[in-house]
Each structure stands twice: as C-alpha cells, then as structure tokens.
Amino acid sequence: MLLTLEPDLTADQLQQIEDRLRELEVRVEKAAAGVRPIWVIRSDGGEPPAERLAAIAGVAAVLPIDAGFPLASLALRGRPSVIRCGPLDIGGRDFVLAAGPCAVETPEQMEACALATRRAGGVLFRGGSFKPRTSPYTFQGLGREGLRLHREVADRHGLLMMSEVLDREDLPAVAELADILQVGSRNMQNFPLLKAIGRLKRPVLLKRGLAATREEFLLAAEYILAGGNERVILCERGIRSFDPALRNSLDLASVVLLKEMTHLPVFVDPSHATGRRRLVAPMARAAAAVGADGLLVEIHPSPESALSDGPQALLPEDLLRLAGELADLAPVVGRRFPRPA
Ligand code: PEP
Ligand code: MN
C-alpha cells in the first residue's frame, strides 16, 4: 500500500507515525521525502485494514500500490503547482514563452536568437548542446563548449537557460550551468536518468515520449517527484501518427486532460509537433487557447543553414509576430504575457 502524509510534518510527528506502523507490524519504505511524503508499506502477515492506517494522525490517504501517480495527481494535491523560476511563476498567472535554437551552433547564431527571444517577451532561452539525433552521422551538438556559450549569452541578455540532458554521465555538466533541465521525448522512460534528476533541486521540463500514453507520461514524472524534486514541467511535443504529412501529431486534447489529472504545469512544443514553420504559430495560439502554461518554440536567424530542425525554426520576426498574438490571447484565458515593444 501507499501512504501519503500531510505536508510539513515535523521529525517527531514522522517518528510517531513510524512507531504506530511498527505496532501494526508493517514495514515502511520511504518513497518520496518531499513536502508531502509518500511511504510504501508492506506487511508479511495480512495488511492492516485501510481505515486503521487512515486513522493515524498525519496520514492523508491510503492507496493501493498501483494507484498510479499520487505525487503528480491533482486530486491528491488539491491545487495546481506553481514553479517559481527567476521572475516566472510557471503554472501560475504567467504564460511562459521558451524560445531558442534547436541546437547551439555559433556565438553569432546564439546572439541573434537571444535578442529575438528577449524582444518577444521570452524569459527562457532554450538550446541543445547534447542532441538526440536520429542518425549518428548528423550534428550531435557542441557538448560542454555549447553549454558554456549558451550560459554566457543567456547571462548577457538576462535570460534563463534551458538545455537537454541526454544521459546521467552529462547530468553534472548540464545541471551546473542550466537553470532548467530538459528531458527529451526519447528519454521519457530513461528511469536511471529520471531518478538522478529526482535527487536534484533543479526544475526539469519532461517531454512526452513519441508513443507514450498519458499514464506512462505521468508515471515518468512520478519518478522525478518520488526522488524529492518537485519542480517538474510537462511538455506535449506531438506523438507518432500514421500520416507522414506532419512530423508528429499534436495532442492538444491531452493538454486539457493532463490539467485535469495533474497539478504539474503543462507546456506545448508546436515546433517538434508539426515539423513545419508555417504550422508553428497557429498551433502555438491553439495551445494558449486550450490552457497550456507555456510554449517551447524553436527559432533560427537563417533556418536554411541550421544544423538541425531548420524547416520548423521560426525567424526572429515570426517569433515577434507570434508574441504579439499571444499578448492579445493571454488575458482572454486569464494569463499574463508581456506585449512586445
Ligand atoms: C528538442 O527540444 O530539441 C528535442 C530534441 O525535442 P524532442 O525530445 O521533443 O524530440
Ligand atoms: Mn529540435
């Protein structure tokens, strides 16, 4: 069984719960030690009745072990999470624009992208230095050198840096420099990586796997939450479909469903979802309209020479136009978004 405990219990109160459980002859495994702890309990004899466990002071709920995702659940938490990051309230009133290139390439490209992001009212500056490319013969990213360039340009423009971490080996290097870690679609179920990120305090944007159900997506988030890291942002980025006309199929209904199921903020990435520049702004507006908490948008000053994902990259002027539309839309859905100058 799973026990969820009341938030903010003292060490004494936790000890009393543990003592009481020992009297009832159950063993306790501590699964998550965040603000709202989750304990897995096991018993060699029959498990004590749920009412007995629920009656212990400090126990919030008693759930079956396959209850799903108690830490990510909106029903159990009761209200949406707001993740404070720099000046942003992610999941709160702010509609958040994260923009930047697919891959960090050169100082000039990063400078142009940072300027465009800033101008458009973006606060998060994305860019991959460790790239998960389908072919091993294509550009794999600049690695640590890219991270340093990204950090330097982000700082110069007062932007927060978000970058993908591909494996545990690179986690210390990415976590040292990035304000927000990104876990890509292909790594959504890389459980050792999720566990390692769960031990950090750094916010993380977790992208939905190419063929993952919502439940699998939320259970992947649960891995990070169960490690004690409560700052998880989900991102819909399209799922595989049978239709080669689009790179992926953007599951916008899922944004609405996820917001009913979880307290975690939900972003939308219309760039990878469509793979086509022309479709990015319409899908971005649709995402804002259905209640997404933010967007992840790829941009490039000269998409025709981009080293990855050029066909889906917005030009700086496209991003600025989209930002004006988001500023019109945001108040209609109860959000704040700065009007670009
Ligand atoms: C990315 O955002 O650069 C990326 C690789 O996205 P995804 O993991 O969604 O394919
Ligand atoms: Mn990309």
Side-chain angles (χ1 to χ4, degrees):
M1 280 184 177
L2 296 175
L3 295 189
T4 65
L5 306 187
E6 300 289 356
D8 305 321
L9 295 175
T10 63
D12 275 356
Q13 289 169 311
L14 291 169
Q15 191 56 55
Q16 280 165 21
I17 300 173
E18 213 166 334
D19 292 345
R20 178 72 189 120
L21 289 169
R22 199 164 306 120
E23 283 166 24
L24 294 171
E25 294 180 359
V26 294
R27 274 177 285 117
V28 175
E29 290 167 23
K30 291 170 187 166
V35 176
R36 194 182 266 280
I38 297 254
W39 289 358
V40 179
I41 58 165
R42 301 187 201 277
S43 168
D44 294 329
E47 263 164 2
E51 308 83 72
R52 267 249 184 96
L53 297 166
I56 302 173
V59 170
V62 183
L63 305 162
I65 206 119
D66 60 356
F69 36 86
L71 291 172
S73 153
L74 176 62
L76 283 175
R77 186 185 158 95
R79 64 193 146 81
S81 282
V82 177
I83 298 175
R84 184 107 205 128
C85 191
L88 297 172
D89 277 340
I90 301 176
R93 279 293 305 282
D94 292 318
F95 185 74
V96 179
L97 173 63
C102 178
V104 175
E105 298 172 5
T106 65
E108 297 72 30
Q109 170 237 18
M110 289 302 278
E111 183 64 23
C113 288
L115 264 175
T117 301
R118 227 14 250 260
R119 243 184 232 147
V123 176
L124 300 183
F125 188 34
R126 64 146 289 149
S129 286
F130 294 98
K131 294 303 303 172
R133 302 306 302 284
T134 302
S135 161
Y137 307 117
T138 54
F139 179 59
Q140 302 287 306
L142 297 180
R144 285 161 199 239
E145 185 196 328
L147 290 175
R148 283 190 290 273
L149 170 60
H150 192 173
R151 181 75 262 172
E152 191 258 306
V153 178
D155 283 344
R156 199 146 29 73
H157 290 274
L159 294 164
L160 298 172
M161 165 181 171
M162 173 155 69
S163 198
E164 177 162 356
V165 55
L166 278 188
D167 67 26
R168 269 188 303 172
E169 206 184 314
D170 302 320
L171 182 55
V174 183
E176 188 193 328
L177 293 178
D179 299 296
I180 301 188
L181 305 170
Q182 180 176 321
V183 174
S185 202
R186 291 155 190 82
N187 261 327
M188 188 202 83
Q189 286 186 315
N190 180 338
F191 300 120
L193 179 64
L194 300 179
K195 283 183 186 173
I197 291 174
R199 292 190 285 271
L200 304 178
K201 292 284 164 268
R202 197 61 47 87
V204 51
L205 179 122
L206 175 68
K207 299 185 98 176
R208 182 173 173 187
L210 330 193
T213 64
R214 265 168 297 281
E215 188 172 12
E216 287 161 344
F217 191 14
L218 289 168
L219 283 167
E222 189 81 10
Y223 264 88
I224 302 173
L225 298 168
N229 184 348
E230 305 200 301
R231 303 167 82 195
V232 180
I233 304 160
L234 303 174
C235 183
E236 279 289 345
R237 47 78 72 205
I239 46 176
R240 266 287 155 88
S241 93
F242 55 87
D243 186 350
L246 295 169
R247 186 171 182 187
N248 290 291
S249 237
L250 180 53
D251 190 359
L252 275 180
S254 182
V255 175
V256 182
L257 286 174
L258 285 171
K259 301 281 297 175
E260 289 171 4
M261 294 163 88
T262 180
H263 56 87
L264 300 172
V266 181
F267 277 32
V268 168
D269 170 351
S271 306
H272 293 89
T274 61
R276 295 219 235 144
R277 180 171 314 117
R278 188 161 61 71
L279 298 175
V280 170
M283 290 300 99
R285 297 192 299 263
V290 297
D293 295 292
L295 293 172
L296 197 64
V297 177
E298 287 189 348
I299 59 175
H300 200 285
S302 45
E304 61 295 342
S305 60
L307 296 179
S308 66
D309 287 351
Q312 70 196 31
L314 293 188
L315 285 156
E317 58 266 33
D318 302 329
L319 185 71
L320 197 60
R321 196 175 325 110
L322 171 60
E325 293 163 354
L326 296 173
D328 289 340
L329 247 168
V332 179
V333 287
R335 302 287 183 137
R336 262 184 320 230
F337 186 80
R339 180 159 296 283

